[in-house]
């Protein structure tokens, strides 16, 4: 069984019920999620040995966050306890032409106080095949960025494959800060995961003739973006999720994988009644990691990733609670949604 470690922040997610707006809500549903935690849950659901590393307070809310991972089989042994609070994010789900909104309340969260000395990477990485993080984690604090660097250096020393989802968040840091910090981390990354805007926001690399607000994608432009990323940082793989946003409820979805010589494209999925798109990119990344570790080959891994992420859009919450068999069925062409009995 392949072993994967992810590093990041898990947050308490508070969301009005259904599609109510923040200003309407008198009740909020409480769940947990966060980029790297979402990846760990997906991989555990796919039958892999997935561990999540973070720092959480020694209170009941911190324990609830741990429990939310344990129930899916995620290894939480390496979570460090300490600090004052669990970060929170508020989500207002969009519908039709009204976009979703996120409000963060994560300043001073436990992971922002983490130091490199808090984590024994030699021990954590024992027998590990893959390490994953996102650009959200180094954005949390300078110390968190140093934790990421220490983890990447330890992974490289042990020959562990690494991946990073750029995941630029303008509410956490500026484009200049992101570019400077992420450029120091990228030389240690084997697989770079991005969406249609991340490469532009973080590294000022743009896809030609593409307007994400108009639902227009130029596939040749994304191949050129991947080539430029390869040239700048030497990644083994670059993958870009291809989302055409016609409204908050209707997206077309797919992905591209570039291995330095060839660009692969997945089939396209028309998702016309989105239940919850948060975690869509994380489910794609998890699917790709699973596919590559399972020797599905570049095209097979990409198809598995796109199908896994398509299914995530039908699942409430951050976590993608689907099985390998369900993903394989969709990737194999069964998109009927017929009742299974």
């Amino acid at each position: 069984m392949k072993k994967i470690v992810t590093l990041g922040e898990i947050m308490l997610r508070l969301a009005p019920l259904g599609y109510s707006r923040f200003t309407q809500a008198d009740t909020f549903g409480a769940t947990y999620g966060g980029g790297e935690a979402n990846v760990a849950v997906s991989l555990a659901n796919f039958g892999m040995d997935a561990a999540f590393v973070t720092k959480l307070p020694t209170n009941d809310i911190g324990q609830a966050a741990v429990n939310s991972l344990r129930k899916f089989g995620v290894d939480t042994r390496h979570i460090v306890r300490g600090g004052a609070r669990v970060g929170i994010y508020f989500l207002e789900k969009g519908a039709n032409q009204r976009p979703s909104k996120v409000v963060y309340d994560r300043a001073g969260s436990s992971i922002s106080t983490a130091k490199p000395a808090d984590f024994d990477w030699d021990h954590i990485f024992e027998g590990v095949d893959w390490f994953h993080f996102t650009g959200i984690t180094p954005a949390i604090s300078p110390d968190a960025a140093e934790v990421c660097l220490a983890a990447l250096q330890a992974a490289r020393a042990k020959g562990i494959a690494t991946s990073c989802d750029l995941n630029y968040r303008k509410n956490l840091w500026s484009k200049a800060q992101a570019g400077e910090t992420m450029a120091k981390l990228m030389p240690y990354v084997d697989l770079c995961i991005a969406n249609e805007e991340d490469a532009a926001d973080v590294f000022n690399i743009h896809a030609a003739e593409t307007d994400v607000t108009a639902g227009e994608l130029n596939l040749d432009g994304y191949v050129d973006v991947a080539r430029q990323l390869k040239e700048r940082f030497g990644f083994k793989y670059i993958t870009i999720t291809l989302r055409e946003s016609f409204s908050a409820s209707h997206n077309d979805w797919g992905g591209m994988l570039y291995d330095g010589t060839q660009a692969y494209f997945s089939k396209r999925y028309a998702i016309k009644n989105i239940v919850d798109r948060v975690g869509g990119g994380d489910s794609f990344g998890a699917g790709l990691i699973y596919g590559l570790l399972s020797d599905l080959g570049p095209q097979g891994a990409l198809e598995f990733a796109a199908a896994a992420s398509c299914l995530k859009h039908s699942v409430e919450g951050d976590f993608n609670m689907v099985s390998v068999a369900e993903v394989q069925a969709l990737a194999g062409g069964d998109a009927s949604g017929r009742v299974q009995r």
Side-chain angles (χ1 to χ4, degrees):
M1 182 186 298
K2 298 295 185 180
K3 188 172 183 179
I4 304 97
V5 169
T6 73
L7 164 71
E9 179 173 27
I10 185 169
M11 292 179 290
L12 172 63
R13 163 176 154 167
L14 298 177
L17 301 183
Y19 293 91
S20 294
R21 307 210 67 182
F22 288 139
T23 51
Q24 291 177 289
D26 52 17
T27 302
F28 288 79
T31 55
Y32 291 87
E36 300 88 349
N38 300 342
V39 170
V41 169
S42 280
L43 290 167
N45 284 335
F46 295 153
M48 292 196 159
D49 185 352
F52 177 65
V53 178
T54 192
K55 186 174 184 178
L56 287 168
T58 52
N59 59 32
D60 289 345
I61 306 303
Q63 189 59 45
V66 172
N67 293 348
S68 73
L69 297 165
R70 284 180 175 169
K71 69 181 180 181
F72 294 106
V74 174
D75 182 351
T76 61
R77 291 176 297 164
H78 303 299
I79 291 178
V80 173
R81 305 308 285 264
R85 65 185 298 250
V86 174
I88 299 171
Y89 85 93
F90 297 86
L91 172 68
E92 177 185 288
K93 289 204 301 182
N96 297 319
Q97 281 68 41
R98 176 172 59 82
S100 297
K101 288 185 177 181
V102 169
V103 176
Y104 288 124
D105 178 17
R106 62 200 300 181
S109 64
S110 290
I111 189 64
S112 73
T113 68
K115 308 287 186 183
D118 288 336
F119 305 97
D120 182 353
W121 292 110
D122 281 339
H123 177 57
I124 294 169
F125 283 153
E126 188 173 331
V128 168
D129 299 286
W130 197 289
F131 170 67
H132 175 78
F133 76 108
T134 78
I136 297 171
T137 302
I140 293 170
S141 70
D143 285 333
E146 289 300 315
V147 170
C148 291
L149 179 60
L152 285 166
Q153 290 173 335
R156 177 57 56 88
K158 289 181 173 289
I160 296 168
T162 58
S163 56
C164 175
D165 189 332
L166 292 181
N167 262 352
Y168 175 70
R169 296 291 184 267
K170 65 182 180 181
N171 291 333
L172 295 180
W173 58 356
S174 69
K175 293 179 182 179
Q177 290 172 315
E180 180 180 358
T181 300
M182 296 302 287
K184 297 175 183 176
L185 302 178
M186 292 302 98
Y188 300 96
V189 171
D190 297 307
L191 167 64
C192 177
I193 304 167
N195 68 17
E196 64 271 16
E197 298 174 278
D198 288 333
D201 288 335
V202 179
F203 298 123
N204 199 31
I205 296 174
H206 297 266
E209 299 180 24
T210 291
D211 182 353
V212 298
T213 63
E216 298 173 1
L217 300 179
N218 174 20
L219 299 185
D220 289 338
Y222 286 114
V223 176
D224 184 55
V225 167
R227 288 196 187 103
Q228 291 184 62
L229 286 168
K230 169 75 173 177
E231 291 171 1
R232 187 177 301 187
F233 298 111
F235 301 122
K236 183 177 180 180
Y237 294 109
I238 301 96
T239 190
I240 298 176
T241 55
L242 304 175
R243 184 188 296 275
E244 295 173 271
S245 296
F246 304 106
S247 73
S249 305
H250 176 197
N251 292 179
D252 278 4
W253 179 255
M256 182 203 78
L257 180 66
Y258 180 70
D259 64 5
T261 58
Q262 183 174 345
Y264 303 85
F265 291 89
S266 75
K267 67 179 66 175
R268 308 286 291 166
Y269 293 97
I271 312 173
K272 295 186 177 180
N273 295 286
I274 293 174
V275 172
D276 193 334
R277 63 164 285 180
V278 175
D282 303 321
S283 59
F284 179 92
L288 191 60
I289 292 168
Y290 173 86
L292 293 173
L293 285 175
S294 300
D295 298 322
L296 299 184
Q299 188 69 52
L302 180 63
E303 295 292 358
F304 189 92
S309 186
C310 175
L311 288 173
K312 167 62 192 76
H313 289 72
S314 71
V315 179
E316 285 275 9
D318 278 46
F319 298 156
N320 191 21
M321 294 175 279
V322 299
S323 68
V324 169
E326 290 172 317
V327 177
Q328 289 174 333
L330 178 58
D334 184 0
S336 65
R338 291 177 64 87
V339 175
Q340 303 295 305
R341 29 169 155 236

